Amino acid sequence: MKKILLLQKWAKPILVMLIGVIPIIVLSGCSTASQSNSINADTSGIFNHFFIYPFSILIKFFANVFHGNYGLSIVLLTFIIRLAIMPLMMNQTKKQMDMKEKMALLQPELTALKEKYKNDASADGKKQEQVEMMQLYQKHQFNPLNIGCLPMLLQWPITLAFYYAIRRTPEIAAHDFLWFSLGTTDMILPLIAAAVYYVQFRVSQSVSAQYQQNQNNQMAFIGLLSPVMMGVFSFQMPAALPLYWAVGGIFIIVQMIILNKMYTKPNVAGKNLPTGVEDL
């Protein structure tokens, strides 16, 4: 029981950190050689041939449609990719809303359970409290480890392939978009990308099911770490990449707000929820 409760406590923060931070570390740690090699039909490797190269072709195709505007091509493809992934995110959001509803029903009983054992510091008392807590979870079919991270994991190969396609399509570097050159670093875009990442984190926390009050400090740390890392790495990369991250982040923010409104049920959004649940 104790191990399960420890997993419950730490699974969400750890997985959020892995999902938010590891891709940035992976991207920033790419070798100079792999970044400078352009992609083409003869490039070896399954991931190169079936993932990166098709995205490079699409970038060039839409750029030609927009009369050589590679910035618009990146923006459009980012939206297309996010729309393609959206069914996965819809399923994830629905599961989170279901968990949120179950937590609203479960919270009064959890509060009563903690009140029951608040003065019992014995080992047997703590063990019995854990047993009864797990019984409550089973009664309400509530799984605290079912946090719905699979859609985020499934989208990694797609977003990574698009990232490398941008890096390894040399035509992009020779073009400008808005006020910046796509092939050189920019001083403003990294700040925009970092700000978007932070807003995205805050929105995700406000619309997702949060069950452990003692995770607030952990999640706040993660919420600051990811945007800071994004901004730092963006200052070292061609402007096409923070453009891609910023546009994708804005799409995700809007998507989360819309999906939250779609799947939030009236009895969960009402004023009669236990204290703290209405702020989830």
mmCIF file of all heavy atoms in Angstrom, residues 211-246:
data_model
loop_
_atom_site.group_PDB
_atom_site.id
_atom_site.type_symbol
_atom_site.label_atom_id
_atom_site.label_comp_id
_atom_site.label_asym_id
_atom_site.label_seq_id
_atom_site.Cartn_x
_atom_site.Cartn_y
_atom_site.Cartn_z
ATOM 1 N N TYR A 211 -4.740 16.250 -7.965
ATOM 2 C CA TYR A 211 -5.331 15.610 -6.807
ATOM 3 C C TYR A 211 -4.527 15.783 -5.512
ATOM 4 O O TYR A 211 -5.072 15.622 -4.440
ATOM 5 C CB TYR A 211 -5.477 14.098 -7.067
ATOM 6 C CG TYR A 211 -6.089 13.805 -8.401
ATOM 7 C CD1 TYR A 211 -5.339 13.184 -9.387
ATOM 8 C CD2 TYR A 211 -7.383 14.194 -8.695
ATOM 9 C CE1 TYR A 211 -5.882 12.929 -10.614
ATOM 10 C CE2 TYR A 211 -7.934 13.937 -9.938
ATOM 11 C CZ TYR A 211 -7.181 13.298 -10.880
ATOM 12 O OH TYR A 211 -7.717 13.060 -12.099
ATOM 13 N N GLN A 212 -3.234 16.079 -5.635
ATOM 14 C CA GLN A 212 -2.413 16.135 -4.439
ATOM 15 C C GLN A 212 -1.981 17.567 -4.181
ATOM 16 O O GLN A 212 -1.222 18.145 -4.947
ATOM 17 C CB GLN A 212 -1.165 15.243 -4.608
ATOM 18 C CG GLN A 212 -1.492 13.771 -4.800
ATOM 19 C CD GLN A 212 -2.134 13.188 -3.556
ATOM 20 O OE1 GLN A 212 -1.800 13.543 -2.454
ATOM 21 N NE2 GLN A 212 -3.079 12.284 -3.755
ATOM 22 N N GLN A 213 -2.442 18.159 -3.089
ATOM 23 C CA GLN A 213 -2.073 19.524 -2.760
ATOM 24 C C GLN A 213 -0.573 19.648 -2.498
ATOM 25 O O GLN A 213 0.019 20.690 -2.745
ATOM 26 C CB GLN A 213 -2.855 19.984 -1.515
ATOM 27 C CG GLN A 213 -4.354 20.084 -1.741
ATOM 28 C CD GLN A 213 -4.713 21.125 -2.796
ATOM 29 O OE1 GLN A 213 -4.099 22.172 -2.865
ATOM 30 N NE2 GLN A 213 -5.691 20.816 -3.622
ATOM 31 N N ASN A 214 0.063 18.587 -1.986
ATOM 32 C CA ASN A 214 1.480 18.673 -1.679
ATOM 33 C C ASN A 214 2.363 18.601 -2.910
ATOM 34 O O ASN A 214 3.579 18.597 -2.802
ATOM 35 C CB ASN A 214 1.886 17.560 -0.698
ATOM 36 C CG ASN A 214 1.611 16.176 -1.268
ATOM 37 O OD1 ASN A 214 1.166 16.027 -2.393
ATOM 38 N ND2 ASN A 214 1.878 15.162 -0.451
ATOM 39 N N GLN A 215 1.769 18.517 -4.104
ATOM 40 C CA GLN A 215 2.557 18.526 -5.322
ATOM 41 C C GLN A 215 2.732 19.937 -5.867
ATOM 42 O O GLN A 215 3.441 20.142 -6.842
ATOM 43 C CB GLN A 215 1.890 17.659 -6.407
ATOM 44 C CG GLN A 215 1.946 16.168 -6.110
ATOM 45 C CD GLN A 215 1.288 15.355 -7.207
ATOM 46 O OE1 GLN A 215 0.886 15.879 -8.237
ATOM 47 N NE2 GLN A 215 1.177 14.068 -6.973
ATOM 48 N N ASN A 216 2.096 20.942 -5.252
ATOM 49 C CA ASN A 216 2.092 22.285 -5.804
ATOM 50 C C ASN A 216 3.497 22.833 -6.016
ATOM 51 O O ASN A 216 3.813 23.408 -7.058
ATOM 52 C CB ASN A 216 1.296 23.226 -4.895
ATOM 53 C CG ASN A 216 -0.197 22.952 -4.993
ATOM 54 O OD1 ASN A 216 -0.655 22.300 -5.920
ATOM 55 N ND2 ASN A 216 -0.946 23.442 -4.028
ATOM 56 N N ASN A 217 4.374 22.671 -5.012
ATOM 57 C CA ASN A 217 5.730 23.188 -5.124
ATOM 58 C C ASN A 217 6.516 22.456 -6.211
ATOM 59 O O ASN A 217 7.293 23.067 -6.954
ATOM 60 C CB ASN A 217 6.461 23.067 -3.783
ATOM 61 C CG ASN A 217 5.886 24.005 -2.741
ATOM 62 O OD1 ASN A 217 5.298 25.039 -3.081
ATOM 63 N ND2 ASN A 217 6.050 23.654 -1.478
ATOM 64 N N GLN A 218 6.318 21.138 -6.292
ATOM 65 C CA GLN A 218 7.013 20.361 -7.317
ATOM 66 C C GLN A 218 6.591 20.812 -8.710
ATOM 67 O O GLN A 218 7.425 21.019 -9.600
ATOM 68 C CB GLN A 218 6.706 18.872 -7.126
ATOM 69 C CG GLN A 218 7.102 18.336 -5.761
ATOM 70 C CD GLN A 218 6.339 17.076 -5.392
ATOM 71 O OE1 GLN A 218 5.552 16.563 -6.195
ATOM 72 N NE2 GLN A 218 6.558 16.578 -4.190
ATOM 73 N N MET A 219 5.278 20.958 -8.919
ATOM 74 C CA MET A 219 4.783 21.352 -10.229
ATOM 75 C C MET A 219 5.178 22.780 -10.568
ATOM 76 O O MET A 219 5.440 23.105 -11.725
ATOM 77 C CB MET A 219 3.254 21.194 -10.267
ATOM 78 C CG MET A 219 2.766 19.792 -9.957
ATOM 79 S SD MET A 219 3.494 18.523 -11.024
ATOM 80 C CE MET A 219 2.727 18.923 -12.586
ATOM 81 N N ALA A 220 5.236 23.655 -9.565
ATOM 82 C CA ALA A 220 5.657 25.032 -9.810
ATOM 83 C C ALA A 220 7.104 25.070 -10.280
ATOM 84 O O ALA A 220 7.463 25.850 -11.174
ATOM 85 C CB ALA A 220 5.483 25.861 -8.545
ATOM 86 N N PHE A 221 7.952 24.221 -9.696
ATOM 87 C CA PHE A 221 9.353 24.144 -10.109
ATOM 88 C C PHE A 221 9.466 23.695 -11.556
ATOM 89 O O PHE A 221 10.218 24.269 -12.351
ATOM 90 C CB PHE A 221 10.113 23.187 -9.188
ATOM 91 C CG PHE A 221 11.503 22.878 -9.658
ATOM 92 C CD1 PHE A 221 12.527 23.809 -9.520
ATOM 93 C CD2 PHE A 221 11.794 21.654 -10.248
ATOM 94 C CE1 PHE A 221 13.806 23.527 -9.962
ATOM 95 C CE2 PHE A 221 13.071 21.371 -10.690
ATOM 96 C CZ PHE A 221 14.093 22.306 -10.550
ATOM 97 N N ILE A 222 8.704 22.648 -11.911
ATOM 98 C CA ILE A 222 8.719 22.146 -13.287
ATOM 99 C C ILE A 222 8.201 23.217 -14.237
ATOM 100 O O ILE A 222 8.722 23.400 -15.350
ATOM 101 C CB ILE A 222 7.874 20.872 -13.405
ATOM 102 C CG1 ILE A 222 8.482 19.761 -12.532
ATOM 103 C CG2 ILE A 222 7.784 20.402 -14.858
ATOM 104 C CD1 ILE A 222 7.604 18.543 -12.402
ATOM 105 N N GLY A 223 7.167 23.943 -13.805
ATOM 106 C CA GLY A 223 6.579 24.981 -14.640
ATOM 107 C C GLY A 223 7.545 26.104 -14.950
ATOM 108 O O GLY A 223 7.431 26.770 -15.988
ATOM 109 N N LEU A 224 8.506 26.342 -14.092
ATOM 110 C CA LEU A 224 9.526 27.367 -14.334
ATOM 111 C C LEU A 224 10.731 26.804 -15.083
ATOM 112 O O LEU A 224 11.325 27.492 -15.911
ATOM 113 C CB LEU A 224 9.988 27.968 -13.006
ATOM 114 C CG LEU A 224 8.974 28.841 -12.270
ATOM 115 C CD1 LEU A 224 9.526 29.242 -10.908
ATOM 116 C CD2 LEU A 224 8.624 30.083 -13.081
ATOM 117 N N LEU A 225 11.089 25.546 -14.791
ATOM 118 C CA LEU A 225 12.277 24.952 -15.396
ATOM 119 C C LEU A 225 12.146 24.792 -16.906
ATOM 120 O O LEU A 225 13.056 25.151 -17.663
ATOM 121 C CB LEU A 225 12.543 23.588 -14.750
ATOM 122 C CG LEU A 225 13.740 22.811 -15.303
ATOM 123 C CD1 LEU A 225 15.035 23.581 -15.078
ATOM 124 C CD2 LEU A 225 13.820 21.423 -14.658
ATOM 125 N N SER A 226 11.020 24.254 -17.354
ATOM 126 C CA SER A 226 10.844 23.986 -18.774
ATOM 127 C C SER A 226 10.910 25.255 -19.640
ATOM 128 O O SER A 226 11.642 25.283 -20.631
ATOM 129 C CB SER A 226 9.523 23.237 -19.006
ATOM 130 O OG SER A 226 9.346 22.924 -20.364
ATOM 131 N N PRO A 227 10.194 26.337 -19.307
ATOM 132 C CA PRO A 227 10.308 27.567 -20.118
ATOM 133 C C PRO A 227 11.710 28.163 -20.091
ATOM 134 O O PRO A 227 12.186 28.681 -21.113
ATOM 135 C CB PRO A 227 9.295 28.512 -19.470
ATOM 136 C CG PRO A 227 8.342 27.629 -18.760
ATOM 137 C CD PRO A 227 9.144 26.472 -18.286
ATOM 138 N N VAL A 228 12.367 28.109 -18.938
ATOM 139 C CA VAL A 228 13.725 28.662 -18.848
ATOM 140 C C VAL A 228 14.670 27.894 -19.761
ATOM 141 O O VAL A 228 15.459 28.491 -20.512
ATOM 142 C CB VAL A 228 14.232 28.616 -17.390
ATOM 143 C CG1 VAL A 228 15.726 28.923 -17.334
ATOM 144 C CG2 VAL A 228 13.471 29.612 -16.530
ATOM 145 N N MET A 229 14.582 26.560 -19.724
ATOM 146 C CA MET A 229 15.430 25.744 -20.606
ATOM 147 C C MET A 229 15.101 26.001 -22.066
ATOM 148 O O MET A 229 16.003 26.093 -22.911
ATOM 149 C CB MET A 229 15.249 24.266 -20.266
ATOM 150 C CG MET A 229 15.759 23.872 -18.896
ATOM 151 S SD MET A 229 15.550 22.103 -18.557
ATOM 152 C CE MET A 229 16.695 21.404 -19.751
ATOM 153 N N MET A 230 13.814 26.124 -22.364
ATOM 154 C CA MET A 230 13.411 26.415 -23.734
ATOM 155 C C MET A 230 14.006 27.738 -24.209
ATOM 156 O O MET A 230 14.551 27.840 -25.315
ATOM 157 C CB MET A 230 11.885 26.464 -23.831
ATOM 158 C CG MET A 230 11.353 26.965 -25.168
ATOM 159 S SD MET A 230 11.859 25.939 -26.550
ATOM 160 C CE MET A 230 10.929 24.456 -26.209
ATOM 161 N N GLY A 231 13.929 28.774 -23.378
ATOM 162 C CA GLY A 231 14.476 30.070 -23.752
ATOM 163 C C GLY A 231 15.976 30.033 -23.939
ATOM 164 O O GLY A 231 16.510 30.580 -24.921
ATOM 165 N N VAL A 232 16.681 29.357 -23.030
ATOM 166 C CA VAL A 232 18.148 29.281 -23.119
ATOM 167 C C VAL A 232 18.586 28.584 -24.397
ATOM 168 O O VAL A 232 19.473 29.059 -25.119
ATOM 169 C CB VAL A 232 18.719 28.557 -21.886
ATOM 170 C CG1 VAL A 232 20.205 28.254 -22.079
ATOM 171 C CG2 VAL A 232 18.522 29.403 -20.633
ATOM 172 N N PHE A 233 17.977 27.439 -24.700
ATOM 173 C CA PHE A 233 18.361 26.697 -25.896
ATOM 174 C C PHE A 233 17.947 27.434 -27.173
ATOM 175 O O PHE A 233 18.625 27.346 -28.198
ATOM 176 C CB PHE A 233 17.758 25.291 -25.875
ATOM 177 C CG PHE A 233 18.333 24.411 -24.800
ATOM 178 C CD1 PHE A 233 17.504 23.631 -24.010
ATOM 179 C CD2 PHE A 233 19.689 24.371 -24.574
ATOM 180 C CE1 PHE A 233 18.024 22.826 -23.011
ATOM 181 C CE2 PHE A 233 20.225 23.564 -23.574
ATOM 182 C CZ PHE A 233 19.392 22.787 -22.796
ATOM 183 N N SER A 234 16.838 28.155 -27.114
ATOM 184 C CA SER A 234 16.375 28.875 -28.298
ATOM 185 C C SER A 234 17.330 29.984 -28.697
ATOM 186 O O SER A 234 17.442 30.332 -29.878
ATOM 187 C CB SER A 234 14.975 29.451 -28.049
ATOM 188 O OG SER A 234 14.024 28.428 -27.909
ATOM 189 N N PHE A 235 18.033 30.558 -27.719
ATOM 190 C CA PHE A 235 19.006 31.607 -28.030
ATOM 191 C C PHE A 235 20.190 31.064 -28.828
ATOM 192 O O PHE A 235 20.933 31.831 -29.430
ATOM 193 C CB PHE A 235 19.519 32.256 -26.744
ATOM 194 C CG PHE A 235 18.631 33.353 -26.222
ATOM 195 C CD1 PHE A 235 17.961 33.197 -25.026
ATOM 196 C CD2 PHE A 235 18.459 34.529 -26.947
ATOM 197 C CE1 PHE A 235 17.127 34.203 -24.543
ATOM 198 C CE2 PHE A 235 17.634 35.535 -26.472
ATOM 199 C CZ PHE A 235 16.965 35.376 -25.260
ATOM 200 N N GLN A 236 20.356 29.739 -28.822
ATOM 201 C CA GLN A 236 21.481 29.123 -29.516
ATOM 202 C C GLN A 236 21.075 28.490 -30.841
ATOM 203 O O GLN A 236 21.910 27.893 -31.510
ATOM 204 C CB GLN A 236 22.116 28.050 -28.613
ATOM 205 C CG GLN A 236 22.496 28.554 -27.228
ATOM 206 C CD GLN A 236 22.914 27.430 -26.295
ATOM 207 O OE1 GLN A 236 23.289 26.342 -26.734
ATOM 208 N NE2 GLN A 236 22.854 27.678 -24.998
ATOM 209 N N MET A 237 19.818 28.607 -31.205
ATOM 210 C CA MET A 237 19.309 27.907 -32.375
ATOM 211 C C MET A 237 18.773 28.868 -33.427
ATOM 212 O O MET A 237 18.395 29.999 -33.109
ATOM 213 C CB MET A 237 18.197 26.935 -31.959
ATOM 214 C CG MET A 237 18.678 25.822 -31.052
ATOM 215 S SD MET A 237 17.342 24.669 -30.630
ATOM 216 C CE MET A 237 18.256 23.454 -29.670
ATOM 217 N N PRO A 238 18.727 28.436 -34.694
ATOM 218 C CA PRO A 238 18.131 29.268 -35.744
ATOM 219 C C PRO A 238 16.692 29.634 -35.401
ATOM 220 O O PRO A 238 15.966 28.841 -34.786
ATOM 221 C CB PRO A 238 18.184 28.359 -36.983
ATOM 222 C CG PRO A 238 19.276 27.393 -36.701
ATOM 223 C CD PRO A 238 19.272 27.170 -35.223
ATOM 224 N N ALA A 239 16.267 30.809 -35.805
ATOM 225 C CA ALA A 239 14.959 31.337 -35.412
ATOM 226 C C ALA A 239 13.800 30.474 -35.893
ATOM 227 O O ALA A 239 12.705 30.547 -35.332
ATOM 228 C CB ALA A 239 14.802 32.755 -35.946
ATOM 229 N N ALA A 240 14.019 29.642 -36.905
ATOM 230 C CA ALA A 240 12.945 28.777 -37.398
ATOM 231 C C ALA A 240 12.454 27.828 -36.307
ATOM 232 O O ALA A 240 11.267 27.482 -36.270
ATOM 233 C CB ALA A 240 13.434 27.970 -38.602
ATOM 234 N N LEU A 241 13.338 27.433 -35.389
ATOM 235 C CA LEU A 241 12.957 26.474 -34.352
ATOM 236 C C LEU A 241 12.131 27.097 -33.238
ATOM 237 O O LEU A 241 11.076 26.554 -32.890
ATOM 238 C CB LEU A 241 14.206 25.785 -33.811
ATOM 239 C CG LEU A 241 14.881 24.902 -34.867
ATOM 240 C CD1 LEU A 241 16.269 24.494 -34.423
ATOM 241 C CD2 LEU A 241 14.023 23.687 -35.172
ATOM 242 N N PRO A 242 12.536 28.217 -32.624
ATOM 243 C CA PRO A 242 11.627 28.839 -31.655
ATOM 244 C C PRO A 242 10.315 29.299 -32.282
ATOM 245 O O PRO A 242 9.289 29.343 -31.600
ATOM 246 C CB PRO A 242 12.430 30.018 -31.095
ATOM 247 C CG PRO A 242 13.579 30.200 -31.996
ATOM 248 C CD PRO A 242 13.856 28.874 -32.626
ATOM 249 N N LEU A 243 10.323 29.606 -33.583
ATOM 250 C CA LEU A 243 9.067 29.918 -34.272
ATOM 251 C C LEU A 243 8.152 28.694 -34.233
ATOM 252 O O LEU A 243 6.958 28.806 -33.899
ATOM 253 C CB LEU A 243 9.349 30.308 -35.723
ATOM 254 C CG LEU A 243 8.115 30.433 -36.634
ATOM 255 C CD1 LEU A 243 7.225 31.589 -36.192
ATOM 256 C CD2 LEU A 243 8.550 30.608 -38.096
ATOM 257 N N TYR A 244 8.700 27.546 -34.559
ATOM 258 C CA TYR A 244 7.944 26.289 -34.533
ATOM 259 C C TYR A 244 7.416 26.006 -33.133
ATOM 260 O O TYR A 244 6.241 25.669 -32.952
ATOM 261 C CB TYR A 244 8.853 25.167 -35.031
ATOM 262 C CG TYR A 244 8.463 23.772 -34.637
ATOM 263 C CD1 TYR A 244 7.169 23.298 -34.848
ATOM 264 C CD2 TYR A 244 9.403 22.906 -34.080
ATOM 265 C CE1 TYR A 244 6.823 22.004 -34.498
ATOM 266 C CE2 TYR A 244 9.060 21.613 -33.726
ATOM 267 C CZ TYR A 244 7.778 21.167 -33.938
ATOM 268 O OH TYR A 244 7.443 19.885 -33.585
ATOM 269 N N TRP A 245 8.260 26.170 -32.106
ATOM 270 C CA TRP A 245 7.839 25.893 -30.735
ATOM 271 C C TRP A 245 6.772 26.876 -30.265
ATOM 272 O O TRP A 245 5.821 26.500 -29.586
ATOM 273 C CB TRP A 245 9.049 25.936 -29.799
ATOM 274 C CG TRP A 245 9.943 24.748 -29.954
ATOM 275 C CD1 TRP A 245 9.562 23.465 -30.223
ATOM 276 C CD2 TRP A 245 11.372 24.725 -29.860
ATOM 277 N NE1 TRP A 245 10.669 22.642 -30.305
ATOM 278 C CE2 TRP A 245 11.779 23.383 -30.080
ATOM 279 C CE3 TRP A 245 12.343 25.688 -29.614
ATOM 280 C CZ2 TRP A 245 13.128 22.993 -30.054
ATOM 281 C CZ3 TRP A 245 13.677 25.300 -29.585
ATOM 282 C CH2 TRP A 245 14.061 23.967 -29.809
ATOM 283 N N ALA A 246 6.940 28.144 -30.605
ATOM 284 C CA ALA A 246 5.978 29.157 -30.165
ATOM 285 C C ALA A 246 4.610 28.927 -30.801
ATOM 286 O O ALA A 246 3.574 28.977 -30.128
ATOM 287 C CB ALA A 246 6.497 30.554 -30.497
#
